[in-house]
Amino acid sequence: MLCKKTALRFAAPVAVLALALTACGGGDDKKSEDKPKADTPKSPAKPAEPAALAAGESTTGKVKEGDATVTYDVAAQKVDVGTEAETKKLVSDPKQAKGLVAAVAHVKYTHKAGAPLADVPDVGDGAEVYADGARGGLLIGASEDAPGCEDELELEGWKKGESHVICQTYLVPVGTKELEVHWAPEDSEGEPAVWKFPAK
């Protein structure tokens, strides 16, 4: 956990386009084409995507923290976007930051129920930043020094009623128009909570 939290590493996002092709089987069966076709029931409408939450609006989620399960209120407050020059200072190889800027998601977590944390919290690991619909590249170890962000290594003993702001830094393309913060407990199969922010 310590290495994961403190190592400064750029994980470049990899986009993979999967093109699924389906083959239509069967020959020219004239008989089946000539038969009158029964009205097929219309497929049910696709459920609408859940509406995005407003900045500061909270959702509730349960996270496995060590041997205990903790219930948190989670609220993305803002996303600070840096400049290319600032971003080059955050990475070991400035070439990796070409055309990219750092987007720092500030997320407030409130411990609502469960045992005090016996170790470094995992709740912040569920936050991700998306730029114009595509996930950015996680920049590990850059958020602890950002203004308004707390160091997760100092949050052992976090107990019910306490709130802390944990940040995640992602690299996103210059010129991004809309940023989203997605949060879900790690290994969750459900849909994440989503907050939308204009890129300033």
Side-chain angles (χ1 to χ4, degrees), residues 53-116:
L53 298 165
E57 190 175 354
S58 66
T59 187
T60 302
K62 293 184 178 182
V63 176
K64 186 77 171 172
E65 297 281 15
D67 295 330
T69 298
V70 176
T71 300
Y72 292 96
D73 270 354
V74 182
Q77 298 179 313
K78 63 179 180 175
V79 179
D80 288 335
V81 180
T83 65
E84 283 187 84
E86 292 169 339
T87 303
K88 286 178 181 177
K89 296 176 183 177
L90 296 175
V91 297
S92 55
D93 182 0
K95 292 177 183 177
Q96 292 179 322
K98 186 175 181 181
L100 300 171
V101 291
V104 183
H106 296 245
V107 185
K108 181 179 179 180
Y109 301 93
T110 302
H111 188 309
K112 299 295 287 184

Side-chain angles (χ1 to χ4, degrees), residues 37-56:
K37 295 178 180 173
D39 288 336
T40 56
K42 292 182 180 177
S43 58
K46 185 178 179 182
E49 291 184 10
L53 298 165

